[in-house]
Structure formats: C-alpha cells, structure tokens
Amino acid sequence: DHTRDPVVIVGTGLAGYHLAKELRKLDQRTPLVIISADNGDSYHKPQLSMAFHKVRTPEQLVSNSAREMALSLRAQILTFTQVTAIDSASRCLTLKAGLQSQRLHYDKLVLALGAEPVEVAVGGDAAGCAFRINDLQDFQRFYTAAAGTKSVLVIGGGLIGCEYANDLIQSGFQVHVIDPQTHALGSLLPDNASRLVEKSLSEAGVQFHLGTTVISLDYCSGGIQAVLDNGTQLQVDRVISAIGVRPRITLAQTNGIPVNRGIVTDRYLATGSEHIYALGDCAEVDGHNLCYVAPLLAGARALALTLTGTPTQVTYDNMPVSIKTTLCPVTVSAPPPGTEGQWQYDRDDDKGVAARFTDGDRQLLGFALVGDACSQSAELSEQAPPIMQ
Ligand code: FAD
C-alpha cells in the first residue's frame, strides 16, 4: 500500500517549488518530500541575467532558504541529494547524498529536473573556461570570477546571451557577443526587429560579431584569446557561453521513462510510467518543450489538481516571452518552428518595431515587438492563437 508514502518532487527550481505551493493550497496533509541536487534555496531564475546591473549579490537573489521553504510548505526538503535511480515497479527512488545512499518510497513522483546549458564545442587550452550560467550556484561562480575584471565575451546572441550582454554593458564591462546567425535573437525575431536591439546594445558599447563562430579559446598573458572563424582575434578576461539549453532527460531515460527532446508527458503531465509526472524545463508536454516560466506555472496549477484527485489537463494560452534587454525591451510570440507564413511590419523606426507573422489567410500566428512598441503586447497576445488549447 503506497497511499501513506509521500508525494515526492525532484527539483527545487521554479517548477518544483511552484507545484509544492499549489499542492499545499489544496491539501495540507499529504506528506511531501522535495529533493534537490543543489542547496534548495528559492530564487527567481530570470533575475540571474539582470543581477549585475541591479547590483544584487548572489545572496540577495535568494528569496527563501530551503529551511524556510520546508517550514512554509510543510515539506521535508533533502538538499545536496541526487536521485540516481527510479524503480517504478516498486515505486522507490535511490538517493545519493555525498557518500551516503538511501532509498525512498513514493506514492506519486514528479520530475522537475530542469534543463542544462549546452556545452560549447571549441578548441584551445581555455575551451573549458566558458561559464554556463543556468542556476544560482553558476551565477555565484561567475560573480566571483568576474570581480575586478574588465571584459566579457558572450558566446551566443540569443535570448540569454543578449540579456547577459545588456546587463554586463550597463555594469561597466566591455562586452563582445558572437553568434553564427547574421542577427542577434535571429531565431526569435524578424531581421528589422533584431536590428533595433543590436543598434541599442551597440550604442551602449556592446560589440557584436555576427555570422561567425568561435574556433578556439586559449589562455594568453592577461586573459583569454578567442579566435573567430572570420579571422578576428579578441582578448577578454572572461567568457560566458549561452548557446541553448537541453532538458535533463538522462534520469528518466535510463529508468525506462519515455523521452523525446524532453521527458514525454500527456496534457495531465503524466509520463509513460505510472504514478510519475514531469513538469518545467525537463518536460515535453504533448509535444511542447517550452523552457519558460509561464508554461510551468500553468502546469503546476493543473498538476496540483490532478495529484489531489481532480484530473486536470494543462492548457497554454498564447504566451509571449519578454526579453529583458532593458536598453531595448522585446516581447515576442514566435510562431511554432516550421510554420508557413511571413512577417509584416506595422511599425519600423528608431524607437520601436512592431511585426506580425501571418499566414496566407492573414491569420495572426505570432508577433514581435521591440522598444516602444512593446506596449501593444496584451492586445496582440489576445488575437494570437493559444499554444495548446
Ligand atoms: P531548474 O530551475 O533548472 O530546476 C531544476 C532542479 O532540479 C534543481 O533544483 C536541480 O538541482 C534539480 N535536479 C536536477 N536533476 C536532479 C537529480 N537527478 N536529483 C535531484 N535533483 C535534481 N523564463 C521566462 O519565462 N522569462 C524570463 O525572463 C527568463 N529569463 C531567464 C534568464 C536566464 C539567465 C535563464 C537561465 C533562464 C531564464 N528563463 C526565463 C527560463 C526560466 O528561468 C526556466 O524556464 C525555469 O526557471 C525552469 O525551472 P525548472 O524548475 O524547470 O528548472
């Protein structure tokens, strides 16, 4: 009989903690265990790429310690503890904390494992020096390493790379951004929208190297030398790599839980393995692996209902993403990859760009707003189709 075993959530990121909060709104009694490989501090991950300019230290980004979370959620929180195996037949986890190993039975299991940054493939003896900042510990390491330095090379001109560039340039660093696409934010925005972001960041001092890649990173006297495939050589103090994230699927995969890009779930967030659910960046919900906050909030609300006896499917409205390039803000609702259609500009000037992506029937499928035009977001988002009804 597993009914007296706890609900176990693996992960103390926004997904794990939001689900725990939603659960406790509905049910105060079910035993709840939350497990994290990290220290379990609660923080708002999107703030990582705004922290330098706002002069927040890593400590100031913590909203609650794991202890405080445990008290307010009436949960047991196991920190610095890895889940290394899942036996779905006996509903039992293997946990490792340091050299200690332990087993834990669950009634229901939720995997909220997040995603990890893709490692950049470059040559040179400093290839391993690039910081990949995807959690508070990563940020802490970079924050310490960047103290007293002057210049940073950001590999990747996508959402996260541009946000770090925006933050660091306003914090006194010299910043270079490198991206193989010919425009920053190239996979999200039409060209003229990208151009306004590039212009604003360039005016603030960011140096873009677009349409090129880094071949090698080598230590040199006084820093790191980067060689680009267009022949440019740059000398910098620190390197950040922000070339994308990949859902953490290995734990599921090696324990017989079906995966694709993410851990595969239906709209109830149920995986292919009974009593096991997935939520947040690690989950691929009915074909959608969306590594953003809005989808995990919707998922947490639905899953809390499901876990407390009211099976509820998650739906995704149109969920525009705000890119926190504060020098030139962006709001984008990108059409699904591979969608047929074209971008049209309603506005395209020095202060703002508003573009709509429409199909042959002039149906609005996505939009991109830059600068002053961001104010139209609510209106367009209502007209654009939901992601998953
Ligand atoms: P994570 O926060 O990665 O949490 C995963 C947890 O699982 C961690 O606690 C980890 O320790 C634990 N874990 C993993 N494996 C194991 C294991 N085997 N055993 C035990 N524990 C394990 N989204 C937006 O919508 N808007 C934004 O403006 C925005 N800005 C961002 C800026 C940056 C710099 C970054 C990096 C992301 C940003 N995002 C933004 C994305 C958003 O932050 C993420 O989608 C969200 O935080 C993911 O939460 P999560 O709980 O799924 O994953």
Side-chain angles (χ1 to χ4, degrees), residues 162-198:
C162 283
E163 289 191 353
Y164 281 123
N166 173 84
D167 197 39
L168 292 167
I169 200 71
Q170 295 182 84
S171 315
F173 290 89
Q174 290 160 25
V175 181
H176 295 271
V177 174
I178 301 183
D179 197 285
Q181 300 200 52
T182 49
H183 283 292
L185 301 169
S187 13
L188 290 167
L189 300 183
D191 289 356
N192 292 9
S194 291
R195 218 168 273 140
L196 186 54
V197 179
E198 285 162 24

PDB file of all heavy atoms in Angstrom, residues 162-198:
ATOM      1  N   CYS A 162      21.901  37.800 -25.082  1.00  0.00           N
ATOM      2  CA  CYS A 162      21.607  39.236 -25.194  1.00  0.00           C
ATOM      3  C   CYS A 162      21.266  39.834 -23.832  1.00  0.00           C
ATOM      4  O   CYS A 162      21.630  40.971 -23.534  1.00  0.00           O
ATOM      5  CB  CYS A 162      20.473  39.494 -26.189  1.00  0.00           C
ATOM      6  SG  CYS A 162      21.025  39.381 -27.891  1.00  0.00           S
ATOM      7  N   GLU A 163      20.566  39.061 -23.006  1.00  0.00           N
ATOM      8  CA  GLU A 163      20.250  39.582 -21.666  1.00  0.00           C
ATOM      9  C   GLU A 163      21.522  39.782 -20.835  1.00  0.00           C
ATOM     10  O   GLU A 163      21.685  40.794 -20.163  1.00  0.00           O
ATOM     11  CB  GLU A 163      19.281  38.644 -20.932  1.00  0.00           C
ATOM     12  CG  GLU A 163      17.879  38.692 -21.516  1.00  0.00           C
ATOM     13  CD  GLU A 163      16.832  37.984 -20.668  1.00  0.00           C
ATOM     14  OE1 GLU A 163      17.188  37.320 -19.664  1.00  0.00           O
ATOM     15  OE2 GLU A 163      15.644  38.094 -21.000  1.00  0.00           O
ATOM     16  N   TYR A 164      22.441  38.815 -20.896  1.00  0.00           N
ATOM     17  CA  TYR A 164      23.698  38.999 -20.154  1.00  0.00           C
ATOM     18  C   TYR A 164      24.485  40.177 -20.720  1.00  0.00           C
ATOM     19  O   TYR A 164      25.077  40.959 -19.976  1.00  0.00           O
ATOM     20  CB  TYR A 164      24.545  37.726 -20.159  1.00  0.00           C
ATOM     21  CG  TYR A 164      24.076  36.697 -19.154  1.00  0.00           C
ATOM     22  CD1 TYR A 164      23.715  35.413 -19.526  1.00  0.00           C
ATOM     23  CD2 TYR A 164      23.981  37.027 -17.797  1.00  0.00           C
ATOM     24  CE1 TYR A 164      23.269  34.479 -18.604  1.00  0.00           C
ATOM     25  CE2 TYR A 164      23.536  36.104 -16.866  1.00  0.00           C
ATOM     26  CZ  TYR A 164      23.179  34.830 -17.269  1.00  0.00           C
ATOM     27  OH  TYR A 164      22.734  33.915 -16.355  1.00  0.00           O
ATOM     28  N   ALA A 165      24.512  40.324 -22.047  1.00  0.00           N
ATOM     29  CA  ALA A 165      25.230  41.448 -22.660  1.00  0.00           C
ATOM     30  C   ALA A 165      24.629  42.772 -22.180  1.00  0.00           C
ATOM     31  O   ALA A 165      25.342  43.699 -21.795  1.00  0.00           O
ATOM     32  CB  ALA A 165      25.159  41.347 -24.185  1.00  0.00           C
ATOM     33  N   ASN A 166      23.303  42.840 -22.181  1.00  0.00           N
ATOM     34  CA  ASN A 166      22.591  44.036 -21.730  1.00  0.00           C
ATOM     35  C   ASN A 166      22.928  44.365 -20.273  1.00  0.00           C
ATOM     36  O   ASN A 166      23.123  45.513 -19.901  1.00  0.00           O
ATOM     37  CB  ASN A 166      21.090  43.755 -21.878  1.00  0.00           C
ATOM     38  CG  ASN A 166      20.212  44.839 -21.290  1.00  0.00           C
ATOM     39  OD1 ASN A 166      19.931  45.839 -21.938  1.00  0.00           O
ATOM     40  ND2 ASN A 166      19.766  44.636 -20.054  1.00  0.00           N
ATOM     41  N   ASP A 167      23.036  43.332 -19.464  1.00  0.00           N
ATOM     42  CA  ASP A 167      23.298  43.533 -18.039  1.00  0.00           C
ATOM     43  C   ASP A 167      24.756  43.942 -17.806  1.00  0.00           C
ATOM     44  O   ASP A 167      25.034  44.871 -17.047  1.00  0.00           O
ATOM     45  CB  ASP A 167      22.997  42.227 -17.296  1.00  0.00           C
ATOM     46  CG  ASP A 167      22.846  42.442 -15.798  1.00  0.00           C
ATOM     47  OD1 ASP A 167      22.249  43.480 -15.406  1.00  0.00           O
ATOM     48  OD2 ASP A 167      23.309  41.599 -15.022  1.00  0.00           O
ATOM     49  N   LEU A 168      25.672  43.251 -18.481  1.00  0.00           N
ATOM     50  CA  LEU A 168      27.095  43.483 -18.224  1.00  0.00           C
ATOM     51  C   LEU A 168      27.557  44.834 -18.783  1.00  0.00           C
ATOM     52  O   LEU A 168      28.388  45.504 -18.180  1.00  0.00           O
ATOM     53  CB  LEU A 168      27.926  42.337 -18.820  1.00  0.00           C
ATOM     54  CG  LEU A 168      27.738  40.987 -18.113  1.00  0.00           C
ATOM     55  CD1 LEU A 168      28.328  39.849 -18.941  1.00  0.00           C
ATOM     56  CD2 LEU A 168      28.378  41.016 -16.717  1.00  0.00           C
ATOM     57  N   ILE A 169      26.998  45.239 -19.931  1.00  0.00           N
ATOM     58  CA  ILE A 169      27.444  46.507 -20.517  1.00  0.00           C
ATOM     59  C   ILE A 169      27.027  47.674 -19.614  1.00  0.00           C
ATOM     60  O   ILE A 169      27.710  48.684 -19.527  1.00  0.00           O
ATOM     61  CB  ILE A 169      26.905  46.688 -21.973  1.00  0.00           C
ATOM     62  CG1 ILE A 169      27.735  47.710 -22.736  1.00  0.00           C
ATOM     63  CG2 ILE A 169      25.444  47.116 -22.012  1.00  0.00           C
ATOM     64  CD1 ILE A 169      29.109  47.263 -23.091  1.00  0.00           C
ATOM     65  N   GLN A 170      25.924  47.504 -18.917  1.00  0.00           N
ATOM     66  CA  GLN A 170      25.474  48.571 -18.009  1.00  0.00           C
ATOM     67  C   GLN A 170      26.157  48.484 -16.651  1.00  0.00           C
ATOM     68  O   GLN A 170      25.875  49.266 -15.754  1.00  0.00           O
ATOM     69  CB  GLN A 170      23.957  48.489 -17.820  1.00  0.00           C
ATOM     70  CG  GLN A 170      23.197  48.765 -19.106  1.00  0.00           C
ATOM     71  CD  GLN A 170      21.711  48.712 -18.869  1.00  0.00           C
ATOM     72  OE1 GLN A 170      21.107  49.678 -18.443  1.00  0.00           O
ATOM     73  NE2 GLN A 170      21.114  47.550 -19.116  1.00  0.00           N
ATOM     74  N   SER A 171      27.022  47.500 -16.503  1.00  0.00           N
ATOM     75  CA  SER A 171      27.713  47.318 -15.231  1.00  0.00           C
ATOM     76  C   SER A 171      29.202  47.591 -15.384  1.00  0.00           C
ATOM     77  O   SER A 171      30.002  47.174 -14.558  1.00  0.00           O
ATOM     78  CB  SER A 171      27.491  45.890 -14.716  1.00  0.00           C
ATOM     79  OG  SER A 171      26.138  45.524 -14.851  1.00  0.00           O
ATOM     80  N   GLY A 172      29.579  48.238 -16.494  1.00  0.00           N
ATOM     81  CA  GLY A 172      30.961  48.682 -16.651  1.00  0.00           C
ATOM     82  C   GLY A 172      31.893  47.714 -17.378  1.00  0.00           C
ATOM     83  O   GLY A 172      33.080  47.981 -17.501  1.00  0.00           O
ATOM     84  N   PHE A 173      31.374  46.592 -17.872  1.00  0.00           N
ATOM     85  CA  PHE A 173      32.232  45.651 -18.603  1.00  0.00           C
ATOM     86  C   PHE A 173      32.278  46.024 -20.086  1.00  0.00           C
ATOM     87  O   PHE A 173      31.333  46.601 -20.612  1.00  0.00           O
ATOM     88  CB  PHE A 173      31.694  44.218 -18.490  1.00  0.00           C
ATOM     89  CG  PHE A 173      31.822  43.623 -17.117  1.00  0.00           C
ATOM     90  CD1 PHE A 173      30.812  43.792 -16.176  1.00  0.00           C
ATOM     91  CD2 PHE A 173      32.953  42.903 -16.760  1.00  0.00           C
ATOM     92  CE1 PHE A 173      30.928  43.252 -14.903  1.00  0.00           C
ATOM     93  CE2 PHE A 173      33.072  42.361 -15.488  1.00  0.00           C
ATOM     94  CZ  PHE A 173      32.058  42.534 -14.561  1.00  0.00           C
ATOM     95  N   GLN A 174      33.396  45.670 -20.734  1.00  0.00           N
ATOM     96  CA  GLN A 174      33.403  45.662 -22.200  1.00  0.00           C
ATOM     97  C   GLN A 174      32.798  44.325 -22.599  1.00  0.00           C
ATOM     98  O   GLN A 174      33.164  43.299 -22.026  1.00  0.00           O
ATOM     99  CB  GLN A 174      34.834  45.725 -22.733  1.00  0.00           C
ATOM    100  CG  GLN A 174      35.515  47.062 -22.507  1.00  0.00           C
ATOM    101  CD  GLN A 174      37.024  46.926 -22.605  1.00  0.00           C
ATOM    102  OE1 GLN A 174      37.548  46.024 -23.256  1.00  0.00           O
ATOM    103  NE2 GLN A 174      37.709  47.832 -21.926  1.00  0.00           N
ATOM    104  N   VAL A 175      31.902  44.357 -23.575  1.00  0.00           N
ATOM    105  CA  VAL A 175      31.185  43.122 -23.907  1.00  0.00           C
ATOM    106  C   VAL A 175      31.242  42.836 -25.406  1.00  0.00           C
ATOM    107  O   VAL A 175      30.962  43.713 -26.228  1.00  0.00           O
ATOM    108  CB  VAL A 175      29.700  43.198 -23.452  1.00  0.00           C
ATOM    109  CG1 VAL A 175      28.975  41.902 -23.772  1.00  0.00           C
ATOM    110  CG2 VAL A 175      29.596  43.511 -21.959  1.00  0.00           C
ATOM    111  N   HIS A 176      31.606  41.601 -25.737  1.00  0.00           N
ATOM    112  CA  HIS A 176      31.537  41.113 -27.120  1.00  0.00           C
ATOM    113  C   HIS A 176      30.481  40.022 -27.172  1.00  0.00           C
ATOM    114  O   HIS A 176      30.423  39.183 -26.275  1.00  0.00           O
ATOM    115  CB  HIS A 176      32.871  40.490 -27.550  1.00  0.00           C
ATOM    116  CG  HIS A 176      33.993  41.470 -27.610  1.00  0.00           C
ATOM    117  ND1 HIS A 176      34.293  42.190 -28.737  1.00  0.00           N
ATOM    118  CD2 HIS A 176      34.891  41.853 -26.667  1.00  0.00           C
ATOM    119  CE1 HIS A 176      35.334  42.973 -28.505  1.00  0.00           C
ATOM    120  NE2 HIS A 176      35.707  42.786 -27.248  1.00  0.00           N
ATOM    121  N   VAL A 177      29.674  40.027 -28.234  1.00  0.00           N
ATOM    122  CA  VAL A 177      28.691  38.957 -28.420  1.00  0.00           C
ATOM    123  C   VAL A 177      28.950  38.297 -29.776  1.00  0.00           C
ATOM    124  O   VAL A 177      29.093  38.996 -30.786  1.00  0.00           O
ATOM    125  CB  VAL A 177      27.243  39.493 -28.397  1.00  0.00           C
ATOM    126  CG1 VAL A 177      26.246  38.392 -28.728  1.00  0.00           C
ATOM    127  CG2 VAL A 177      26.915  40.115 -27.052  1.00  0.00           C
ATOM    128  N   ILE A 178      29.018  36.979 -29.776  1.00  0.00           N
ATOM    129  CA  ILE A 178      29.286  36.254 -31.021  1.00  0.00           C
ATOM    130  C   ILE A 178      28.127  35.319 -31.329  1.00  0.00           C
ATOM    131  O   ILE A 178      27.649  34.597 -30.442  1.00  0.00           O
ATOM    132  CB  ILE A 178      30.552  35.395 -30.857  1.00  0.00           C
ATOM    133  CG1 ILE A 178      31.695  36.328 -30.514  1.00  0.00           C
ATOM    134  CG2 ILE A 178      30.844  34.597 -32.115  1.00  0.00           C
ATOM    135  CD1 ILE A 178      32.996  35.658 -30.405  1.00  0.00           C
ATOM    136  N   ASP A 179      27.674  35.343 -32.569  1.00  0.00           N
ATOM    137  CA  ASP A 179      26.604  34.409 -32.949  1.00  0.00           C
ATOM    138  C   ASP A 179      26.737  34.029 -34.421  1.00  0.00           C
ATOM    139  O   ASP A 179      27.003  34.900 -35.258  1.00  0.00           O
ATOM    140  CB  ASP A 179      25.232  35.047 -32.690  1.00  0.00           C
ATOM    141  CG  ASP A 179      24.125  33.997 -32.671  1.00  0.00           C
ATOM    142  OD1 ASP A 179      23.744  33.502 -33.767  1.00  0.00           O
ATOM    143  OD2 ASP A 179      23.653  33.658 -31.577  1.00  0.00           O
ATOM    144  N   PRO A 180      26.553  32.755 -34.733  1.00  0.00           N
ATOM    145  CA  PRO A 180      26.663  32.331 -36.137  1.00  0.00           C
ATOM    146  C   PRO A 180      25.558  32.905 -37.027  1.00  0.00           C
ATOM    147  O   PRO A 180      25.742  33.013 -38.245  1.00  0.00           O
ATOM    148  CB  PRO A 180      26.560  30.799 -36.073  1.00  0.00           C
ATOM    149  CG  PRO A 180      25.974  30.495 -34.733  1.00  0.00           C
ATOM    150  CD  PRO A 180      26.354  31.626 -33.831  1.00  0.00           C
ATOM    151  N   GLN A 181      24.423  33.282 -36.439  1.00  0.00           N
ATOM    152  CA  GLN A 181      23.375  33.870 -37.273  1.00  0.00           C
ATOM    153  C   GLN A 181      23.759  35.314 -37.602  1.00  0.00           C
ATOM    154  O   GLN A 181      24.540  35.939 -36.897  1.00  0.00           O
ATOM    155  CB  GLN A 181      22.041  33.832 -36.534  1.00  0.00           C
ATOM    156  CG  GLN A 181      21.625  32.400 -36.194  1.00  0.00           C
ATOM    157  CD  GLN A 181      20.144  32.306 -35.909  1.00  0.00           C
ATOM    158  OE1 GLN A 181      19.323  32.751 -36.700  1.00  0.00           O
ATOM    159  NE2 GLN A 181      19.815  31.716 -34.774  1.00  0.00           N
ATOM    160  N   THR A 182      23.152  35.846 -38.658  1.00  0.00           N
ATOM    161  CA  THR A 182      23.546  37.193 -39.080  1.00  0.00           C
ATOM    162  C   THR A 182      22.871  38.270 -38.233  1.00  0.00           C
ATOM    163  O   THR A 182      23.182  39.451 -38.366  1.00  0.00           O
ATOM    164  CB  THR A 182      23.209  37.414 -40.563  1.00  0.00           C
ATOM    165  OG1 THR A 182      21.862  37.000 -40.763  1.00  0.00           O
ATOM    166  CG2 THR A 182      24.134  36.609 -41.465  1.00  0.00           C
ATOM    167  N   HIS A 183      21.931  37.859 -37.376  1.00  0.00           N
ATOM    168  CA  HIS A 183      21.312  38.834 -36.470  1.00  0.00           C
ATOM    169  C   HIS A 183      21.201  38.272 -35.056  1.00  0.00           C
ATOM    170  O   HIS A 183      20.992  37.068 -34.882  1.00  0.00           O
ATOM    171  CB  HIS A 183      19.915  39.222 -36.962  1.00  0.00           C
ATOM    172  CG  HIS A 183      19.961  40.178 -38.102  1.00  0.00           C
ATOM    173  ND1 HIS A 183      20.405  41.470 -37.957  1.00  0.00           N
ATOM    174  CD2 HIS A 183      19.651  40.025 -39.411  1.00  0.00           C
ATOM    175  CE1 HIS A 183      20.363  42.074 -39.131  1.00  0.00           C
ATOM    176  NE2 HIS A 183      19.915  41.218 -40.039  1.00  0.00           N
ATOM    177  N   ALA A 184      21.315  39.185 -34.092  1.00  0.00           N
ATOM    178  CA  ALA A 184      21.061  38.791 -32.706  1.00  0.00           C
ATOM    179  C   ALA A 184      19.596  38.385 -32.586  1.00  0.00           C
ATOM    180  O   ALA A 184      18.746  38.881 -33.337  1.00  0.00           O
ATOM    181  CB  ALA A 184      21.358  39.960 -31.773  1.00  0.00           C
ATOM    182  N   LEU A 185      19.298  37.494 -31.685  1.00  0.00           N
ATOM    183  CA  LEU A 185      17.935  36.984 -31.472  1.00  0.00           C
ATOM    184  C   LEU A 185      17.349  36.442 -32.780  1.00  0.00           C
ATOM    185  O   LEU A 185      16.137  36.466 -33.002  1.00  0.00           O
ATOM    186  CB  LEU A 185      17.024  38.091 -30.898  1.00  0.00           C
ATOM    187  CG  LEU A 185      17.495  38.683 -29.553  1.00  0.00           C
ATOM    188  CD1 LEU A 185      16.699  39.941 -29.205  1.00  0.00           C
ATOM    189  CD2 LEU A 185      17.350  37.655 -28.429  1.00  0.00           C
ATOM    190  N   GLY A 186      18.257  35.969 -33.647  1.00  0.00           N
ATOM    191  CA  GLY A 186      17.878  35.572 -35.005  1.00  0.00           C
ATOM    192  C   GLY A 186      16.851  34.460 -35.092  1.00  0.00           C
ATOM    193  O   GLY A 186      16.095  34.401 -36.064  1.00  0.00           O
ATOM    194  N   SER A 187      16.789  33.580 -34.097  1.00  0.00           N
ATOM    195  CA  SER A 187      15.777  32.520 -34.219  1.00  0.00           C
ATOM    196  C   SER A 187      14.418  32.961 -33.688  1.00  0.00           C
ATOM    197  O   SER A 187      13.439  32.229 -33.830  1.00  0.00           O
ATOM    198  CB  SER A 187      16.224  31.219 -33.532  1.00  0.00           C
ATOM    199  OG  SER A 187      17.320  31.407 -32.728  1.00  0.00           O
ATOM    200  N   LEU A 188      14.358  34.154 -33.054  1.00  0.00           N
ATOM    201  CA  LEU A 188      13.083  34.594 -32.489  1.00  0.00           C
ATOM    202  C   LEU A 188      12.444  35.748 -33.262  1.00  0.00           C
ATOM    203  O   LEU A 188      11.222  35.868 -33.305  1.00  0.00           O
ATOM    204  CB  LEU A 188      13.299  35.069 -31.041  1.00  0.00           C
ATOM    205  CG  LEU A 188      13.625  34.004 -30.003  1.00  0.00           C
ATOM    206  CD1 LEU A 188      14.128  34.651 -28.715  1.00  0.00           C
ATOM    207  CD2 LEU A 188      12.393  33.155 -29.718  1.00  0.00           C
ATOM    208  N   LEU A 189      13.288  36.606 -33.834  1.00  0.00           N
ATOM    209  CA  LEU A 189      12.765  37.872 -34.376  1.00  0.00           C
ATOM    210  C   LEU A 189      13.017  37.999 -35.869  1.00  0.00           C
ATOM    211  O   LEU A 189      14.001  37.474 -36.390  1.00  0.00           O
ATOM    212  CB  LEU A 189      13.466  39.060 -33.696  1.00  0.00           C
ATOM    213  CG  LEU A 189      13.344  39.204 -32.186  1.00  0.00           C
ATOM    214  CD1 LEU A 189      14.043  40.492 -31.732  1.00  0.00           C
ATOM    215  CD2 LEU A 189      11.890  39.230 -31.750  1.00  0.00           C
ATOM    216  N   PRO A 190      12.150  38.758 -36.570  1.00  0.00           N
ATOM    217  CA  PRO A 190      12.467  39.112 -37.955  1.00  0.00           C
ATOM    218  C   PRO A 190      13.617  40.130 -37.967  1.00  0.00           C
ATOM    219  O   PRO A 190      13.854  40.804 -36.958  1.00  0.00           O
ATOM    220  CB  PRO A 190      11.162  39.733 -38.452  1.00  0.00           C
ATOM    221  CG  PRO A 190      10.472  40.245 -37.234  1.00  0.00           C
ATOM    222  CD  PRO A 190      10.877  39.337 -36.102  1.00  0.00           C
ATOM    223  N   ASP A 191      14.309  40.242 -39.103  1.00  0.00           N
ATOM    224  CA  ASP A 191      15.570  40.998 -39.166  1.00  0.00           C
ATOM    225  C   ASP A 191      15.494  42.428 -38.623  1.00  0.00           C
ATOM    226  O   ASP A 191      16.353  42.855 -37.863  1.00  0.00           O
ATOM    227  CB  ASP A 191      16.077  41.056 -40.619  1.00  0.00           C
ATOM    228  CG  ASP A 191      16.588  39.690 -41.070  1.00  0.00           C
ATOM    229  OD1 ASP A 191      16.614  38.769 -40.230  1.00  0.00           O
ATOM    230  OD2 ASP A 191      16.947  39.558 -42.262  1.00  0.00           O
ATOM    231  N   ASN A 192      14.456  43.179 -39.022  1.00  0.00           N
ATOM    232  CA  ASN A 192      14.424  44.587 -38.606  1.00  0.00           C
ATOM    233  C   ASN A 192      14.192  44.743 -37.112  1.00  0.00           C
ATOM    234  O   ASN A 192      14.600  45.731 -36.512  1.00  0.00           O
ATOM    235  CB  ASN A 192      13.351  45.359 -39.381  1.00  0.00           C
ATOM    236  CG  ASN A 192      13.709  45.487 -40.842  1.00  0.00           C
ATOM    237  OD1 ASN A 192      14.673  44.851 -41.297  1.00  0.00           O
ATOM    238  ND2 ASN A 192      12.961  46.282 -41.584  1.00  0.00           N
ATOM    239  N   ALA A 193      13.536  43.770 -36.527  1.00  0.00           N
ATOM    240  CA  ALA A 193      13.340  43.794 -35.074  1.00  0.00           C
ATOM    241  C   ALA A 193      14.681  43.539 -34.386  1.00  0.00           C
ATOM    242  O   ALA A 193      15.067  44.242 -33.452  1.00  0.00           O
ATOM    243  CB  ALA A 193      12.304  42.747 -34.659  1.00  0.00           C
ATOM    244  N   SER A 194      15.424  42.535 -34.881  1.00  0.00           N
ATOM    245  CA  SER A 194      16.766  42.265 -34.343  1.00  0.00           C
ATOM    246  C   SER A 194      17.651  43.489 -34.467  1.00  0.00           C
ATOM    247  O   SER A 194      18.414  43.822 -33.569  1.00  0.00           O
ATOM    248  CB  SER A 194      17.439  41.130 -35.121  1.00  0.00           C
ATOM    249  OG  SER A 194      16.794  39.915 -34.875  1.00  0.00           O
ATOM    250  N   ARG A 195      17.535  44.149 -35.628  1.00  0.00           N
ATOM    251  CA  ARG A 195      18.429  45.264 -35.909  1.00  0.00           C
ATOM    252  C   ARG A 195      18.301  46.378 -34.871  1.00  0.00           C
ATOM    253  O   ARG A 195      19.283  46.967 -34.451  1.00  0.00           O
ATOM    254  CB  ARG A 195      18.108  45.810 -37.315  1.00  0.00           C
ATOM    255  CG  ARG A 195      19.340  46.220 -38.077  1.00  0.00           C
ATOM    256  CD  ARG A 195      19.030  46.480 -39.517  1.00  0.00           C
ATOM    257  NE  ARG A 195      19.097  45.298 -40.351  1.00  0.00           N
ATOM    258  CZ  ARG A 195      18.260  44.997 -41.341  1.00  0.00           C
ATOM    259  NH1 ARG A 195      17.256  45.800 -41.630  1.00  0.00           N
ATOM    260  NH2 ARG A 195      18.419  43.899 -42.048  1.00  0.00           N
ATOM    261  N   LEU A 196      17.068  46.626 -34.418  1.00  0.00           N
ATOM    262  CA  LEU A 196      16.873  47.690 -33.425  1.00  0.00           C
ATOM    263  C   LEU A 196      17.502  47.295 -32.082  1.00  0.00           C
ATOM    264  O   LEU A 196      18.091  48.134 -31.396  1.00  0.00           O
ATOM    265  CB  LEU A 196      15.376  48.007 -33.261  1.00  0.00           C
ATOM    266  CG  LEU A 196      15.045  49.189 -32.355  1.00  0.00           C
ATOM    267  CD1 LEU A 196      15.783  50.462 -32.775  1.00  0.00           C
ATOM    268  CD2 LEU A 196      13.535  49.434 -32.313  1.00  0.00           C
ATOM    269  N   VAL A 197      17.400  46.020 -31.733  1.00  0.00           N
ATOM    270  CA  VAL A 197      18.028  45.551 -30.495  1.00  0.00           C
ATOM    271  C   VAL A 197      19.544  45.684 -30.622  1.00  0.00           C
ATOM    272  O   VAL A 197      20.220  46.210 -29.729  1.00  0.00           O
ATOM    273  CB  VAL A 197      17.653  44.078 -30.204  1.00  0.00           C
ATOM    274  CG1 VAL A 197      18.328  43.592 -28.918  1.00  0.00           C
ATOM    275  CG2 VAL A 197      16.146  43.907 -30.119  1.00  0.00           C
ATOM    276  N   GLU A 198      20.087  45.245 -31.756  1.00  0.00           N
ATOM    277  CA  GLU A 198      21.542  45.340 -31.979  1.00  0.00           C
ATOM    278  C   GLU A 198      21.997  46.795 -31.899  1.00  0.00           C
ATOM    279  O   GLU A 198      23.020  47.100 -31.290  1.00  0.00           O
ATOM    280  CB  GLU A 198      21.911  44.803 -33.370  1.00  0.00           C
ATOM    281  CG  GLU A 198      21.870  43.303 -33.478  1.00  0.00           C
ATOM    282  CD  GLU A 198      21.792  42.848 -34.950  1.00  0.00           C
ATOM    283  OE1 GLU A 198      22.214  43.603 -35.851  1.00  0.00           O
ATOM    284  OE2 GLU A 198      21.284  41.740 -35.176  1.00  0.00           O
TER     285      GLU A 198
END
